Amino acid sequence: MTAEPTAAEPTAGPLWRDRNFSTFWAGQALGQFGAQLGQLALPVLAVVMLHASEFEVGVLNAAGLAAFLAVGLPAGAWVDRWLKRRTMITADLLRMAAMAAVPVLWWSGGLEIWHLYLVAGSVGTATVFFDVAYQSYVPVLVASPQVREANSKLEATAQIARIGGPAAGGALLAVVSAPVLFVGEAAGYLLSAVFLARTRDSEVRAPAAARRPLPVEIREGLSFVVRHPLISRIAACTGGMNFSGMLMYTMMPLLVLRNLGLGPQGMGLIMTVGAAGGLLGAVAAPRLAARIGEGTVIPVCALVSSVFLLLVPFAGIVPEPGVALALLLISEFGFGFSVLVYNIMQLTMRQRVCPPRLLGRMNASIRFAVWGVMPLAALASGYLGEHLGLVPTMLIGAAGSFLATAPVLFSPLRRMRTLPDEVLEYGAADRA
């Protein structure tokens, strides 16, 4: 009989020497790589093989994101009650099963677009719980001074996966059909679950006696987000930019695959270059923050990302496909870079200032606000795309992204050299 591995307490040593963090890190890298194969396969399957219309593409995107709106808030309260690592393992296994169903349906000859709606909805629901637990797990796994470094390493690895995944997927699509790539995504989720099972932490389930009614716990998480003077502004900016970006990116597969005729390989190249920009942003985030200020970098990157988004509708106007591809590559690289720097800095601040007992609810409240708008934007994009056209819809999205930067552009963040790291206890009235 083997002994049960002991729980790991976070230490302040170098993360690359921390075998426990390295196990978690490796699992997430493999899971991300597999997930990127599916990110390319889904639009190719829908647009090229099932001939989805603009509105059907909008519904498909909305189905994958609807769970953030439907269960985003209670997910945070539930995750705070559960063990986060176990939650992530369960979510990975559910996502694996959903993805494995796609090639089975295809090879049986029965795959239809509504099946993809169900698969996207199932994966999206599991992802809500995985992401809330994941963002709340890093402070459990590593010591507080290492949170920014851990986030940077995890994001850098995710971007490497986003570079290799679409490139590999685009190459594979030259010799295999899109449904085969879903097998790779299912394998990625399985490997993530295996490595999570080998990770150890010191987290203890919250005692049942400390629980209160679910609406009270949800309200406490929302209260923290709304009352915090910086997090509330970041949530408003991110939500607005996500809505605007989704108006644009819902139509991207139709622009690339149908209007410009660049094929799956072109789509994979665009995604790969965008991920390369994100990788550079993840690596550069600490240095940029040190040079121009931890707070200042947030509004700067929000504004810069909007500038690069503006190139996407222009790519739909130019008559030469080669020029259009060049514009899309520049846009994706610059957007990926600036968004990753923005995300790393704002996520690190949220993890620093939030009380540990509220991490799940805080992250879920943020996700509800900034991802909950995306299914609505996807449906709006499908409707506008059918009635106004792809380019006008994308121009509306680009204009909206500039407006969305206002909450952080006109805020104290613009002049902050150092972001706060003091834990604040907003929502005390709700606990009375």
Side-chain angles (χ1 to χ4, degrees), residues 173-208:
L173 283 172
V175 293
V176 301
S177 61
V180 176
L181 297 189
F182 286 89
V183 177
E185 182 165 7
Y189 290 134
L190 176 60
L191 288 170
S192 173
V194 169
F195 276 79
L196 277 167
R198 295 177 59 85
T199 303
R200 295 292 174 256
D201 59 63
S202 58
E203 186 181 21
V204 178
R205 188 193 298 270

Side-chain angles (χ1 to χ4, degrees), residues 85-375:
R85 183 168 61 92
R86 188 175 297 174
T87 300
M88 289 187 284
I89 292 171
T90 302
D92 271 336
L93 294 177
L94 290 173
R95 293 191 291 187
M96 178 199 71
M99 282 299 167
V102 175
V104 172
L105 287 167
W106 174 260
W107 289 324
S108 70
L111 184 66
E112 298 181 18
I113 189 68
W114 68 268
H115 290 129
L116 294 187
Y117 298 159
L118 292 178
V119 168
S122 300
V123 171
T125 301
T127 298
V128 169
F129 289 93
F130 184 94
D131 284 358
V132 171
Y134 176 82
Q135 289 192 344
S136 307
Y137 188 61
V138 171
V140 173
L141 194 63
V142 304
S144 181
Q146 297 173 309
V147 168
R148 185 176 71 178
E149 181 188 353
N151 283 331
S152 184
K153 289 182 183 300
L154 290 165
E155 285 294 345
T157 307
Q159 292 308 309
I160 292 173
R162 289 173 187 140
I163 292 171
L172 286 170
L173 283 172
V175 293
V176 301
S177 61
V180 176
L181 297 189
F182 286 89
V183 177
E185 182 165 7
Y189 290 134
L190 176 60
L191 288 170
S192 173
V194 169
F195 276 79
L196 277 167
R198 295 177 59 85
T199 303
R200 295 292 174 256
D201 59 63
S202 58
E203 186 181 21
V204 178
R205 188 193 298 270
R211 298 175 186 170
R212 286 155 302 140
L214 192 64
V216 174
E217 294 192 344
I218 292 172
R219 187 168 67 248
E220 191 172 7
L222 278 171
S223 177
F224 181 86
V225 171
V226 171
R227 293 187 187 186
H228 196 285
L230 298 181
I231 291 180
S232 58
R233 288 178 174 272
I234 285 171
C237 171
T238 309
M241 293 196 71
N242 281 356
F243 186 92
S244 302
M246 185 54 60
L247 281 177
M248 182 177 300
Y249 281 108
T250 297
M251 295 293 103
M252 179 74 87
L254 291 164
L255 176 68
V256 174
L257 298 171
R258 189 172 296 172
N259 288 32
L260 298 178
L262 298 175
Q265 289 73 32
M267 189 77 181
L269 177 62
I270 292 166
M271 294 171 68
T272 295
V273 169
L279 172 61
L280 184 59
V283 173
R287 294 181 182 178
L288 273 177
R291 177 175 289 272
I292 69 175
E294 290 183 336
T296 307
V297 78
I298 291 176
V300 167
C301 284
L303 189 60
V304 169
S305 68
S306 297
V307 173
F308 281 106
L309 271 183
L310 194 57
L311 296 178
V312 177
F314 288 156
I317 297 173
V318 297
E320 176 58 47
V323 176
L325 177 60
L327 288 174
L328 291 174
L329 294 176
I330 294 170
S331 172
E332 284 296 293
F333 185 89
F335 182 76
F337 179 94
S338 52
V339 164
L340 258 293
V341 176
Y342 173 94
N343 280 340
I344 287 171
M345 296 313 302
Q346 61 92 7
L347 174 60
T348 297
M349 185 200 69
R350 283 159 43 195
Q351 291 171 335
R352 283 182 190 171
V353 302
C354 183
R357 65 182 184 80
L358 282 176
L359 275 170
R361 280 168 283 171
M362 180 274 292
N363 285 321
S365 297
I366 291 285
R367 281 292 172 116
F368 173 78
V370 306
W371 284 64
V373 300
M374 293 170 75

Side-chain angles (χ1 to χ4, degrees), residues 27-38:
Q28 294 315 297
L30 292 168
Q32 287 282 350
F33 184 84
Q36 291 310 306
L37 295 176

